[in-house]
Structures are given as C-alpha cells and as structure tokens.
Amino acid sequence: MTPTSGSSRPNVAVIGLGYIGLPTAAVLASSGADVIGVDINQKAVDLINQGEVPFVEPDMSTTVAGVVSQGYLKATTETPHADNYIVAVPTPFKEGHKPDLVFIETAGKQIAPLLKGNELVILESTSPPGATEFLADTILNARPDLTLEPGTANSVYFAHCPERVLPGRIMIELRTNDRIVGTLNGDAGERARELYELFCEGEFLMTDARTAEMAKLTENAYRDVNIAFANELSMIADGLDINVWELIKLANHHPRVNILQPGPGVGGHCIAVDPWFIVASAPEQSSLVRTAREVNDSKPGFVLDKLLPQAKRINDVQIAALGLAFKPNIDDLRESPARQIVGRLAAELPQANIMAVEPNIEALPAELADCENVTLTELNEAVRNADIVLLLVDHNEFTRLDRSLLAQKIVHDTRGVWG
Ligand code: SAJ
C-alpha cells in the first residue's frame, strides 16, 4: 500500500497509532494530507479502517470516521514508502529507569529500506536527548548510501517535533498549542513546520533536535515537581491535622503562588515516566527531579497506609473504589495510581469485597480481573453497599454524586472533590 499517488496533498506515514499517533494522523488527514497509519496491533488497524477508534478521546471518533470514509486515512501493519514520516511510538523505560529506545529503533529499521532520498523523518515520541540522532543513525547504518548532508539526491532529513497535548483535550490542543520543532539536519525543521501548519494554529518555536527533546522533558518534569510539592504538602498536612485543600486554596490567593492539587499519585505514560529520562541523562545534577518522582511514587503507599488499618477492623469489608484511570474522564489506565491502589487492596484484604467503579471501561484489566475479591461494579450499587468509599479519580460521574449517599460511610477522598 502506498499513499495516494498523483495527489497534490502531502503524503505522510504515521508510525504508531496510539494516544498521539492516531489523533495526529486523523487531524492531518482532515487538514489536507493523505495519511497512512501504521501499527503492529492488527485489531486497532482493523477498527480504524472501519472508521472506529480503539480508545476513548473526546471528539476523536467523529474525525477518524470522517477521514476514513473519505479515504484520507488508512491503517495498515506494513510500513509504506512516504515523503514524510512521523514516528510516534512508545518510549518506555527499562531496568533502573533507563529509557528504552527499542520501538524507535524498530521504526527506523522498517523505514530504512523504503527510502529513496529527500524524505523527511520526524520523531514525535517523547525521547531522551540524542534520540533523533539515534533514529538517524539507525536508518543510516542500514542504508549507508543515504546521507545527512543536505542538498544531495540521497539526503534524508530529520527533525524532532515533540507532542505536548493533554489527554482529554488532544483534538483541541493539537490545533491550538504552540509547537517546538528541532532540526537535526538541513531544512528539516522548516519542512516539518510546513507539514504541521496544515492543522496547527499555534506558534512554531524553532530550535535544534537536542534542545527540542529536552524541552519536552522539562515541561513534564516541571509539572511533576509541582505536583510532588502538592503531594508532599498533603502528607505534611495530614500529620498536622490540617485540611490540605483549604490550605492550598488559601496559599493560592497569594498573587505569585499557584500550587497544584494533591491526589493518590501521578500516573499516565508521560509525567510518571519522562522525568526519569532527565535523571538518566544527568544523574548527578537531577536530585530535585528524582526526588519529585519518588515523592509522587510514594503517594499510593500513603493512601493505603491510611486505609488498610480501618478496612482490617471491619469483617468482610465492602470497599467502593471509585476510578481506575490515571486522570478524570478518560479510559487510560497506564501507570495509574488508582489501579495500583486497587491491586494492593485486593492483595492485602483477601476477605474484602472490592467494588471497582470505572465508567470508562467495559472489563477490568487482567491483573484485577484475576482477583476473586475485585468486581467491576456500577457506581450507585457500589456506594450503596460500601462500608468504605475511596475516591481515586475525579470523573464527572463521581464529582456529581449525591453526597447523601455517603452518610454513615467511611470516606477517603484522595482528590478533595467532596469537600
Ligand atoms: N495530577 C495531580 N495533580 C494535579 C495535576 C495532575 O495529581 O494538580 C496527576 C493526574 O491525576 C495524573 C497525572 O498527574 O495522574 C498527570 O496528569 P496531567 O493532566 O498533569 O498530565 P498528562 O500526563 O495527562 O499530560 C502531560 C501534559 N504535560 C504538561 O502539562 C506539562 C501534556 O501537555 C503532555 O503532552 C503529556 O503529559 C505528554 O504526552 O507528555
């Protein structure tokens, strides 16, 4: 399969149809490009080709359905030739929180044999400094006939253009956020900018690839450090018998103070992961970034330490655990502290009945489905039967809950939404 030939629309292959690749592919296709999306997941590919979406993101399904029916977006498991590649594959970490670039490497190896010269390869995946060079090296090692030297028939151009969209608002922020574009060679950045200008109304901030990589990590580490401050305050306030929500509200009246919200921990595949890439790149200098990660990672344990002794005092305790996602109004359970807390509750309380309420999913993730004492339960039923109500995610359904249903219950509100 190759992108539509003879069309004046630019053709783009988006490698990786996950939380960033699919919305980017859809928005590009709806803004004037012919897009082929590539993913190893045959089920996701089939769904997309039927105009359906494999995960929940507000407003994405209508865009995908539209561009698929018009023929501007097709999905496949085979990497095609394209004039422009956008690599949006996962960058997890491995042993010791070191970044694992294996998916970038695989994408590079699949793209390499297809190149004819003059293609643009954009790395979008959040990456440690040097990853765009790594992708270029992977491709050039497989194709020594190609070159980074600009202006020849065999030149290939590389840029890093990190995504910065907020899950839950992706379809809006793809169009409105400013975009950092880092050039590795030649006019790659300018060419990337031209492509992204099809849909992005934000400002384009041009730099080199390494700075672009670090800028993205810096944004997420900034947020992690600030959430860690809120989470640390919540643990300090608890010991001092002070309501942390009131405390933060008061402090935030100061014109130069803007403290974020404590919660059960930090989840998702960005903020809970990316700061480690900075630590891995400069371990000696990153003590604050590392400590913030450790504070946020300790928060699920703190929640459990408060709850478990109470739960153990009640025979056959019934616990309603509200939310499994990593944040409100999405179905993404990656690195979710809520999911981790429910898993630990199940292990520590074999006699309990743990009613997990997650309106955005249809089945429990495997590790919870395997626990006999955990069931996916409807909200009202769970709250009605519960001795303990544990609010883990501030989904709209939970913030709107009739508070009179909580009377006579032990309530743990980790998000501070019930006052
Ligand atoms: N959280 C708190 N308290 C807060 C804010 C968030 O506990 O005051 C928690 C959330 O519940 C969640 C986690 O932090 O578990 C992360 O949520 P988030 O909404 O802060 O961020 P993400 O991970 O959904 O998206 C972030 C965004 N980065 C920044 O805001 C700097 C987004 O713009 C990035 O594109 C995204 O990471 C990414 O893909 O890197």
Side-chain angles (χ1 to χ4, degrees):
M1 195 192 296
T2 54
T4 320
S5 57
S7 155
S8 60
R9 298 165 64 96
N11 65 67
V12 186
V14 177
I15 317 294
L17 294 175
Y19 290 88
I20 298 304
L22 179 55
T24 302
V27 88
L28 261 171
S30 71
S31 308
D34 286 332
V35 183
I36 292 193
V38 185
D39 204 284
I40 52 170
N41 182 341
Q42 183 71 54
K43 211 168 134 202
V45 163
D46 292 343
L47 271 177
I48 293 163
N49 284 331
Q50 289 157 25
E52 289 169 33
V53 292
F55 56 89
V56 174
E57 176 62 36
D59 301 331
M60 186 176 70
S61 57
T62 38
T63 309
V64 169
V67 290
V68 168
S69 73
Q70 290 164 314
Y72 296 145
L73 173 65
K74 296 184 179 78
T76 171
T77 53
E78 297 289 319
T79 305
H81 175 264
D83 296 336
N84 305 283
Y85 288 91
I86 293 179
V87 176
V89 294
T91 40
F93 53 61
K94 52 188 179 190
E95 232 5 61
H97 296 118
K98 300 274 186 294
D100 186 350
L101 301 188
V102 65
F103 297 113
I104 294 182
E105 189 176 8
T106 306
K109 285 182 175 162
Q110 282 164 357
I111 292 168
L114 303 160
L115 298 177
K116 300 171 181 168
N118 201 33
E119 289 88 352
L120 172 66
V121 182
I122 302 170
L123 178 63
E124 267 218 28
S125 311
T126 302
S127 305
T132 311
E133 277 161 86
F134 172 77
L135 175 60
D137 285 349
T138 304
I139 290 179
L140 266 60
N141 285 340
R143 288 289 305 275
D145 55 313
L146 298 174
T147 176
L148 286 182
E149 189 65 39
T152 81
N154 295 331
S155 306
V156 184
Y157 298 86
F158 291 88
H160 181 57
C161 190
E163 62 77 16
R164 301 149 87 203
V165 287
L166 193 73
R169 283 178 49 83
I170 290 180
M171 299 307 280
I172 299 165
E173 293 202 359
L174 271 175
R175 293 190 185 274
T176 57
N177 281 4
D178 294 342
R179 206 81 212 209
I180 296 175
V181 184
T183 298
L184 186 70
N185 66 322
D187 62 353
E190 283 308 321
R191 286 176 58 173
R193 172 196 185 130
E194 233 169 78
L195 191 63
Y196 284 91
E197 267 174 352
L198 286 177
F199 62 86
C200 175
E201 297 147 18
E203 194 181 332
F204 284 83
L205 309 159
M206 310 305 285
T207 183
D208 58 85
R210 239 168 210 270
T211 311
E213 288 157 350
M214 189 62 184
K216 165 66 199 239
L217 302 180
T218 300
E219 293 163 7
N220 280 354
Y222 167 87
R223 196 152 167 85
D224 199 42
V225 167
N226 281 281
I227 299 170
F229 181 64
N231 275 333
E232 185 162 292
L233 274 180
S234 74
M235 296 186 272
I236 294 168
D238 184 76
L240 298 175
D241 207 16
I242 289 169
N243 179 321
V244 72
W245 316 102
E246 186 191 359
L247 174 72
I248 290 175
K249 208 161 132 196
L250 295 175
N252 280 349
H253 272 268
H254 185 287
R256 283 173 297 285
V257 174
N258 187 10
I259 303 167
L260 294 177
Q261 298 301 302
V266 166
H269 200 65
C270 309
I271 295 186
V273 175
D274 302 352
W276 287 118
F277 293 178
I278 297 182
V279 176
S281 297
E284 298 288 310
Q285 291 78 20
S286 329
S287 56
L288 178 62
V289 177
R290 183 203 316 265
T291 303
R293 271 289 66 246
E294 286 165 357
V295 168
N296 286 333
D297 276 353
S298 74
K299 197 64 200 290
F302 179 83
V303 172
L304 285 158
D305 287 346
K306 304 286 299 176
L307 190 130
L308 280 170
Q310 286 173 329
K312 283 179 179 162
R313 280 197 291 271
I314 303 171
N315 285 337
D316 301 328
V317 63
Q318 307 267 335
I319 302 177
L322 307 193
L324 291 174
F326 86 87
K327 64 181 217 171
N329 306 321
I330 57 173
D331 66 348
D332 189 345
L333 308 189
R334 290 178 302 170
E335 323 290 333
S336 166
R339 175 179 178 174
Q340 189 187 330
I341 287 168
V342 172
R344 284 269 313 277
L345 280 177
E348 302 260 351
L349 300 168
Q351 307 303 327
N353 178 24
I354 300 160
M355 298 165 284
V357 182
E358 180 44 80
N360 299 301
I361 61 172
E362 269 149 32
L364 286 172
E367 86 280 3
L368 296 181
D370 287 348
C371 301
E372 277 179 12
N373 52 352
V374 183
T375 47
L376 189 60
T377 309
E378 186 273 325
L379 174 62
N380 284 300
E381 183 191 336
V383 172
R384 198 172 47 243
N385 293 330
D387 304 303
I388 299 178
V389 179
L390 171 63
L391 180 103
L392 293 167
V393 187
D394 37 348
H395 288 316
N396 290 343
E397 293 87 342
F398 306 158
T399 58
R400 288 195 298 250
L401 185 78
D402 175 359
R403 311 285 160 83
S404 65
L405 297 175
L406 300 171
Q408 319 297 326
K409 317 268 180 201
I410 299 172
V411 176
H412 285 260
D413 173 3
T414 68
R415 299 276 179 176
V417 297
W418 288 332

